[in-house]
Amino acid sequence: MIYQSTHEMILDDVFLDLSGFISGVNLLLKVEGFNPAGSIKMKAAVGLLEDAEDRGLLGPGGHVIESSSGNLGIALSSVCAARGYRFTCVVDPNTSAHSIALMRAYGAEVVSVDRRDSNGGYLQSRIDYIHRRIAGDPELVWPNQYANPANPRAHYERTAAAIVKQGLDVDYLFVGAGTTGTLMGCVAYFRENSPQTKVIAVDTVGSVTFGNPPGRRHIPGLGTSRRPEILDPEQIGNVVMVPEIEAVHMCRLLAAKRGIAAGGSTGSVLAAVERRRAEIPSGARVVAIAPDLGDRYLSTIYDDAWVRERFGAEAAAPSSGSFPPRAQPRVPAQSCRS
């Protein structure tokens, strides 16, 4: 197939059968990493930029600025390069050197903000920097992935629709919550087109998105230190909070047992399926969304020294195939309506 632009090269129909990976669970992994930007964020990037173009905010030679922990920054770098826009990405110390190097390869300016916000993260600090830049240069265009309805709309029209199109009769859909664009788009689409499907949100311990206490986090992707405006908690019936050590273990187990390296968000989503395993009836169809692959995490999640420094020696031990690697305190699954 011949494509006219790199951002058209999004494969939305790739599913990996992981039945048996988590005992007793009929599980499919929707793999989102097979596009030039390498993640699900390619769809959000296209949607955000097209929204700005449609509203007359962005034209030839325009300059885009956005906050990102990695994947959206890479996707926007790629799409902006293809469309002739300048792009500035505001990142933080948790963004991998690999991701920053890739953004710069696409011609992006990368600014790292290292001041923590009031909840111990960097998100509000990154946004504050964007406001300062816009005040000094009103021509800058900020798509604002955290508040722009174009973010969930991209996943309503693409990600969720692609799952239903498979005719899988999905009983449970596990979706990670970062900006919550994928989550909110899937919730809306499944409510309308597959109302029997239970959509489970997955967040990381230390994230404040669903009203939990803030804490130190090391893995980019899931979680926030500031609730995104596009999130409507009343639409989310179930949330599973996952400690990062369990995400690390699941990523390493998936690589060792199934030969695919995935990113931290995928590890968290699979850990959430494990946490809910006892509640999933035999024969139920479960789909989990894998936002990206593991190449951007080789110096973090898959690096023994990095893991030992942050989670202890046991966390980096070779996987036995059990879960979790040691007796870890379980954080209860939560409902955001409780």
Side-chain angles (χ1 to χ4, degrees), residues 63-150:
H63 189 173
V64 178
I65 188 169
E66 184 58 278
S67 157
S68 173
S69 62
N71 280 337
L72 183 72
I74 293 168
L76 282 171
S77 299
S78 171
V79 181
C80 283
R83 294 195 175 197
Y85 303 134
R86 290 179 292 156
F87 176 55
T88 296
C89 190
V90 186
V91 302
D92 62 54
N94 285 335
T95 306
S96 73
H98 177 105
S99 294
I100 291 173
L102 195 49
M103 292 181 216
R104 287 177 172 153
Y106 288 126
E109 173 194 19
V110 181
V111 177
S112 183
V113 173
D114 60 6
R115 180 178 60 83
R116 293 188 181 274
D117 59 31
S118 59
N119 283 322
Y122 298 99
L123 177 52
Q124 187 61 56
S125 298
R126 298 196 317 247
I127 291 173
D128 289 344
Y129 176 86
I130 289 175
H131 284 301
R132 293 195 298 271
R133 285 287 298 265
I134 292 173
D137 183 1
E139 296 301 313
L140 278 172
V141 177
W142 179 28
N144 193 357
Q145 61 167 327
Y146 312 101
N148 193 333

Side-chain angles (χ1 to χ4, degrees), residues 13 17 36 40 47 68 71 98 101 116 154 179 186 207 300 311 324 330-331:
D13 57 355
D17 188 348
I40 196 171
S68 173
N71 280 337
H98 177 105
R116 293 188 181 274
T179 66
C186 286
S207 167
T300 55
F311 304 109
R330 292 252 173 186
V331 178

Side-chain angles (χ1 to χ4, degrees), residues 8-21:
E8 297 174 358
M9 299 165 59
I10 298 174
L11 300 180
D12 237 339
D13 57 355
V14 179
F15 293 79
L16 177 64
D17 188 348
L18 287 183
S19 296
F21 177 72

Side-chain angles (χ1 to χ4, degrees), residues 252-271:
R252 289 173 163 233
L253 189 63
L254 183 66
K257 300 299 183 183
R258 294 301 177 97
I260 179 171
S265 299
T266 302
S268 295
V269 169
L270 292 175

Side-chain angles (χ1 to χ4, degrees), residues 28-270:
L28 289 177
L29 189 68
K30 188 178 191 303
V31 183
E32 294 279 356
F34 297 120
N35 66 63
S39 81
I40 196 171
K41 293 291 189 175
M42 185 67 131
K43 288 175 276 191
V46 173
L48 290 166
L49 292 179
E50 289 183 346
D51 174 72
E53 292 166 347
D54 291 344
R55 291 192 288 144
L57 302 176
L58 187 61
H63 189 173
V64 178
I65 188 169
E66 184 58 278
S67 157
S68 173
S69 62
N71 280 337
L72 183 72
I74 293 168
L76 282 171
S77 299
S78 171
V79 181
C80 283
R83 294 195 175 197
Y85 303 134
R86 290 179 292 156
F87 176 55
T88 296
C89 190
V90 186
V91 302
D92 62 54
N94 285 335
T95 306
S96 73
H98 177 105
S99 294
I100 291 173
L102 195 49
M103 292 181 216
R104 287 177 172 153
Y106 288 126
E109 173 194 19
V110 181
V111 177
S112 183
V113 173
D114 60 6
R115 180 178 60 83
R116 293 188 181 274
D117 59 31
S118 59
N119 283 322
Y122 298 99
L123 177 52
Q124 187 61 56
S125 298
R126 298 196 317 247
I127 291 173
D128 289 344
Y129 176 86
I130 289 175
H131 284 301
R132 293 195 298 271
R133 285 287 298 265
I134 292 173
D137 183 1
E139 296 301 313
L140 278 172
V141 177
W142 179 28
N144 193 357
Q145 61 167 327
Y146 312 101
N148 193 333
N151 184 355
R153 184 166 62 245
H155 298 290
Y156 176 97
E157 295 175 350
R158 298 287 305 263
T159 307
I163 297 170
V164 172
K165 184 180 178 180
Q166 300 299 313
L168 298 173
D169 296 325
V170 179
D171 297 295
Y172 296 86
L173 176 66
F174 285 76
V175 186
T179 66
T180 70
T182 305
L183 174 65
M184 295 308 301
C186 286
V187 165
Y189 191 91
F190 275 85
R191 181 179 294 114
E192 295 174 10
N193 297 279
S194 182
Q196 78 282 0
T197 302
K198 297 179 177 63
V199 179
I200 312 296
V202 181
D203 200 5
T204 187
V205 171
S207 167
V208 306
T209 301
F210 295 99
N212 293 287
R216 184 65 60 90
R217 293 174 290 114
H218 305 285
I219 303 173
L222 295 194
T224 66
S225 57
R226 170 189 177 275
R227 175 176 284 178
E229 291 86 347
I230 57 175
L231 172 67
D232 181 358
E234 293 301 315
Q235 303 299 316
I236 312 300
N238 292 279
V239 181
V240 183
M241 303 298 295
V242 175
E244 287 187 325
I245 189 173
E246 294 185 8
V248 170
H249 177 72
M250 271 298 188
C251 286
R252 289 173 163 233
L253 189 63
L254 183 66
K257 300 299 183 183
R258 294 301 177 97
I260 179 171
S265 299
T266 302
S268 295
V269 169
L270 292 175

